[in-house]
Amino acid sequence: MAIQIEAGNKADVDRTPRGNAVISVKEQMQAWRNADLFFFPLISVLIGGAAVFLCALTVGDWSYWMDWRDRRWWPLVTPLLLLALPAVATYAFWRYFKLPVAATGLALGFWLSQIVSRYVNFHVFTAFPMNWVMPEVWIGAAVVLDAVLLITRSFALTGLVGGMLFGLLFSAMNWPVVAPMHMPVLLGDTVMTLADYMGFQYIRTAMPEYVRIIEAGTLRTFGTHVAPVSAFVSGFFAILVYYVFVWIGSKGSRPSWLGKLV
Amino acid sequence: MERENHRLVRQVLLVVLMWALFMPVVFAHGEIAQMAGIRMRTVHWFDTKIEPTQVKVNDIVTVRGKFMVSGHWPDYVAKPEEWVFLNIGVPGPVFVRMDATVNGMPQYQSTAFKRGEFYEYEVKMKARVPGEWHVHPLINVWEAGPISGPARFVQITGSKDDFVNTATSPRLE
Ligand SMILES: [Cu+2]
């Protein structure tokens, strides 16, 4: 969208385009900037909203409730599913506009849409406390992904380094939201985390306690360090997810299939 | 032809109007909506007491009663010996559950109920959101779904802003 203009000779720059509301190159630049200012937030919120929908379909309860955020599956599955759309958008934005902003813009739009969704659907409509249904944040991980693309200027390297970092950083960057929920509290004589406690207190009729017992494995190869191991595994898979969805982006952003459709 | 069409429109409108006017208002649901096999051959609820039914925000409402887990549990319903959870059927967290016991023992997490056995339960809840709410005792059975018991309407008055909820951290002594 922001297209670079090669300023040739002076006469060329000052020439007035005919039959156009824009009468100088300067105004043309301004028009492009205005279009950018209008379209970027719009596209961010639109694709971000699509990512919210995708997240609701795939991550679902892991994303909704604090007591679902376990240390094994949540850090593994969530970043993998959240990386799909940014990878598609990254292809289009980098290939056609040379803008390394797709992931960051999408993460911002996602966060905005997600906060609105949680506030209206979970807090106002069904009365759950906001800290209990806070959405995950991945703006930081998206910035890192875009920064790697900006530095390396290569999809292959961005997948390798950025994808790995995306998976690795996700759970660490969400720790400030999750950490207070790990505080120990007493229910009778039973010690629970605050997340478990609130899960018991704030009644969810259709969500019995047993459905969230998902960390069933007892294999402890790496001792107690389950979350970092999950994050590493997530990083490895994220590399693959990034490549696959950049490829899908390369197919999807070509307008040829549109011609066949219409 | 046009007259015919008009008559048809009038007839459809009349049917819709009659349907809207004479449709009974449905209050009860849950246990009554369940199919007979679930209602009569899974969990038998009795002596259900949900009281008091008029409370202010922060007041305690107790759901207590007994149930018998049928020995003739249908073959097509997942068995309660796997995973069950004693729950409450309410529209959202309008109450906060403070305590739950089955046969006098704490029931904070999921458990197993044996077919042919008899259980007594008690759930204490603190009123949180003002309104009139239908409160059911309920048992979630893994892979089978919720099996709800009889319900009462509980009216909560006051303001949600007055709601207080505190937690105790374990003391290291
Ligand atoms: Cu009901």
Side-chain angles (χ1 to χ4, degrees):
Chain A
M1 282 178 188
I3 296 166
Q4 287 175 352
I5 291 181
E6 280 180 39
N9 52 47
K10 181 91 166 54
D12 212 28
V13 174
D14 287 341
R15 199 180 55 215
T16 306
R18 302 213 166 176
N20 201 324
V22 178
I23 55 160
S24 71
V25 172
K26 208 175 158 193
E27 275 192 23
Q28 180 68 72
M29 273 314 275
Q30 192 55 48
W32 276 329
R33 289 219 177 90
N34 284 347
D36 285 358
L37 282 177
F38 175 71
F39 280 117
F40 273 128
L42 194 73
I43 289 176
S44 291
V45 170
L46 273 179
I47 316 184
V52 169
F53 180 67
L54 197 75
C55 179
L57 279 181
T58 52
V59 185
D61 292 303
W62 268 312
S63 168
Y64 299 154
W65 317 105
M66 291 309 274
D67 64 339
W68 272 69
R69 295 190 184 176
D70 66 316
R71 52 188 185 160
R72 176 176 285 182
W73 291 104
W74 182 66
L76 174 68
V77 174
T78 321
L80 293 182
L81 293 160
L82 287 175
L83 187 56
L85 276 185
V88 171
T90 294
Y91 180 86
F93 274 76
W94 183 249
R95 170 79 176 69
Y96 296 108
F97 310 118
K98 276 288 177 284
L99 289 175
V101 296
T104 309
L106 210 150
L108 265 169
F110 174 91
W111 184 78
L112 266 173
S113 319
Q114 193 76 305
I115 284 279
V116 170
S117 155
R118 294 295 158 83
Y119 183 75
V120 176
N121 298 331
F122 287 77
H123 184 65
V124 176
F125 190 59
T126 38
F128 283 101
M130 246 339 248
N131 67 345
W132 179 240
V133 291
M134 274 308 268
E136 52 281 275
V137 185
W138 48 286
I139 299 169
V143 168
V144 168
L145 192 71
D146 280 341
V148 173
L149 180 67
L150 179 65
I151 294 164
T152 64
R153 298 177 159 259
S154 134
F155 287 128
L157 284 172
T158 306
L160 204 65
V161 181
M164 179 45 121
L165 284 173
F166 191 89
L168 261 181
L169 290 173
F170 176 79
S171 62
M173 282 179 168
N174 274 286
W175 185 239
V177 180
V178 177
M181 286 288 158
H182 284 236
M183 226 181 70
V185 288
L186 281 178
L187 176 57
D189 285 343
T190 309
V191 182
M192 287 181 155
T193 64
L194 189 61
D196 285 334
Y197 185 64
M198 285 180 79
F200 175 75
Q201 284 200 321
Y202 291 83
I203 300 169
R204 291 165 293 185
T205 296
M207 182 162 298
E209 192 260 356
Y210 53 77
V211 291
R212 61 175 195 83
I213 304 176
I214 34 192
E215 196 186 312
T218 49
L219 196 65
R220 287 281 181 271
T221 317
F222 295 93
T224 54
H225 308 293
V226 179
V229 172
S230 277
F232 257 111
V233 175
S234 183
F236 282 122
F237 280 114
I239 297 172
L240 200 69
V241 168
Y242 187 81
Y243 289 157
V244 168
F245 279 89
V246 161
W247 176 77
I248 291 174
S250 77
K251 295 286 165 207
S253 61
R254 237 172 257 156
S256 60
W257 59 272
L258 247 174
K260 280 175 198 158
L261 206 74
V262 179
Chain B
M1 189 64 198
E2 206 165 289
R3 279 184 85 89
E4 289 273 294
N5 277 348
H6 279 216
R7 219 169 72 185
L8 188 72
V9 168
R10 275 206 302 274
Q11 280 168 349
V12 169
L13 274 177
L14 189 71
V15 169
V16 170
L17 192 72
M18 281 176 70
W19 181 55
L21 278 178
F22 298 107
M23 191 158 65
V25 181
V26 180
F27 275 121
H29 52 272
E31 79 278 16
I32 292 168
Q34 263 163 354
M35 60 188 274
I38 304 279
R39 224 175 336 110
M40 301 174 71
R41 296 198 112 186
T42 53
V43 180
H44 305 297
W45 303 87
F46 56 103
D47 288 353
T48 308
K49 285 195 180 65
I50 299 166
E51 57 197 6
T53 51
Q54 296 271 333
V55 289
K56 285 200 279 293
V57 168
N58 287 324
D59 285 354
I60 297 288
V61 171
T62 309
V63 181
R64 68 162 74 83
K66 297 163 191 165
F67 62 85
M68 164 97 187
V69 182
S70 175
H72 301 278
W73 195 275
D75 286 337
Y76 54 86
V77 180
K79 306 296 174 279
E81 280 92 350
E82 291 281 342
W83 281 107
V84 288
F85 182 59
L86 173 71
N87 209 343
I88 296 291
V90 273
V94 291
F95 293 93
V96 158
R97 178 166 35 205
M98 306 307 287
D99 194 17
T101 59
V102 171
N103 288 348
M105 278 173 287
Q107 194 70 90
Y108 308 142
Q109 271 146 356
S110 305
T111 182
F113 292 143
K114 289 202 179 85
R115 276 169 287 173
E117 296 277 306
F118 161 85
Y119 297 91
E120 269 189 87
Y121 66 93
E122 187 176 293
V123 180
K124 284 201 170 72
M125 312 185 296
K126 198 185 211 182
R128 179 168 174 254
V129 181
E132 197 170 21
W133 312 114
H134 211 213
V135 180
H136 301 246
L138 186 146
I139 290 172
N140 298 98
V141 180
W142 183 66
E143 300 239 306
I147 296 172
S148 54
R152 302 280 178 282
F153 275 105
V154 176
Q155 197 173 27
I156 305 178
T157 53
S159 164
K160 187 175 177 283
D161 297 334
D162 297 332
F163 177 72
V164 223
N165 190 12
T166 53
T168 324
S169 58
R171 277 197 287 176
L172 305 166
E173 294 173 52

